[in-house]
Amino acid sequence: MTPTRSPLRRLLAAGVTILATAAATLVATAGPASAATVPGIDVSRYQGSINWTSVRNAGIQFAFIKATEGTSYKDPNFNANYVNAYNAGVIRGAYHFARPNISSGAVQANYLASNGGAWSADSRTLPAALDLEANPYSGGYCYGLSTTGMRNWVQDFLNTYRSRTGRYAVIYTTTSFWNQCTGSWTGPWANHPLWVARWASAPGTLPAGAPVWSFWQYTSTGAVSGISGNVDRNYWNGDRSRLIALANNTP
């Protein structure tokens, strides 16, 4: 994902291991990449103006769109992207770039939910994603938090988002960050879908305890009609009907 400043997370590419997914009850298959048949993207203001009709016509079926970061930043392109993606028939979801060292998880979950990251049962809106990755700013790789502190922060965010929306948030992370900064915590994976980031030909080893990935970000240098320059490309681990089921919170 992209923080407010230049996308310093690109520096992590060599060490990225994968944003894995979650709850087996929310995922159609637990198979390898060959089962990932639904293509998607994630975007922020760095992609500029997007022609979402062209994106959909190119075969893209879902998109995670940056909404917020920390406690005060809202992506200036979010409103246009979120509405235009929906109108073009793209299943959309918002994402929040976590800043665990500047406020509680509850404060940031409320900020996301109040600034576009809430949920509606309309067949085209996914639960929002918590983008949790290595700190691109000052304050240390794990934001200066102990493993217990990071677990508490994440749980606070997840609990608050569920209270606000009734949905379990998606968690975007890398295996290396998750295992180091949460101490290989397995708690969220019973309910929260895993979106794993690994720019490679396979998702690789998942975060501790994650039984399956739901979304996989497999490259940061993809190309899609309707978008100028590089864009992150993703797969959903299942077919479109299961993606719609996740959007609608149905079995």
Side-chain angles (χ1 to χ4, degrees):
M1 304 296 192
T2 48
T4 303
R5 298 187 296 188
S6 62
L8 296 179
R9 70 182 178 87
R10 306 302 186 201
L11 299 176
L12 303 174
V16 163
T17 38
I18 206 169
L19 296 164
T21 76
T25 56
L26 297 178
V27 183
T29 75
S34 60
T37 58
V38 178
I41 57 175
D42 61 89
V43 301
S44 70
R45 70 179 179 86
Y46 292 106
Q47 276 66 53
S49 179
I50 296 174
N51 183 325
W52 284 98
T53 299
S54 294
V55 169
R56 182 68 186 92
N57 289 341
I60 298 301
Q61 298 192 43
F62 70 90
F64 279 102
I65 299 167
K66 183 169 185 178
T68 51
E69 176 175 330
T71 60
S72 60
Y73 178 81
K74 182 173 180 178
D75 189 290
N77 290 13
F78 173 75
N79 287 349
N81 281 334
Y82 208 57
V83 171
N84 293 339
Y86 178 94
N87 289 339
V90 176
I91 300 169
R92 84 277 170 87
Y95 79 83
H96 174 81
F97 189 90
R99 300 284 301 278
N101 57 344
I102 66 172
S103 79
S104 70
V107 167
Q108 294 190 36
N110 278 317
Y111 184 66
L112 167 65
S114 297
N115 286 277
W119 173 77
S120 56
D122 54 23
S123 298
R124 294 187 203 167
T125 302
L126 295 165
L130 171 63
D131 177 2
L132 193 65
E133 58 185 276
N135 185 7
Y137 306 111
S138 62
Y141 182 80
C142 297
Y143 297 86
L145 273 62
S146 66
T147 55
T148 298
M150 184 64 76
R151 292 183 188 190
N152 290 340
W153 191 95
V154 173
Q155 193 65 68
D156 193 29
F157 183 100
L158 298 176
N159 288 346
T160 302
Y161 185 79
R162 180 159 170 74
S163 177
R164 285 288 304 269
T165 67
R167 298 303 309 272
Y168 292 107
V170 175
I171 299 174
Y172 169 103
T173 194
T174 67
T175 297
S176 57
F177 177 86
W178 185 265
N179 289 350
Q180 177 176 336
C181 296
T182 73
S184 298
W185 185 33
T186 63
W189 307 130
N191 296 304
H192 295 273
L194 171 61
W195 178 10
V196 67
R198 185 173 188 250
W199 304 333
S201 59
T205 302
L206 302 184
V212 63
W213 57 270
S214 297
F215 299 95
W216 167 28
Q217 185 190 76
Y218 64 89
T219 184
S220 64
T221 57
V224 174
S225 179
I227 298 176
S228 299
N230 292 337
V231 63
D232 296 335
R233 294 292 303 263
N234 299 269
Y235 284 126
W236 158 253
N237 193 6
D239 63 21
R240 181 178 173 86
S241 68
R242 297 312 305 153
L243 183 61
I244 292 173
L246 175 60
N248 281 340
N249 199 25
T250 56

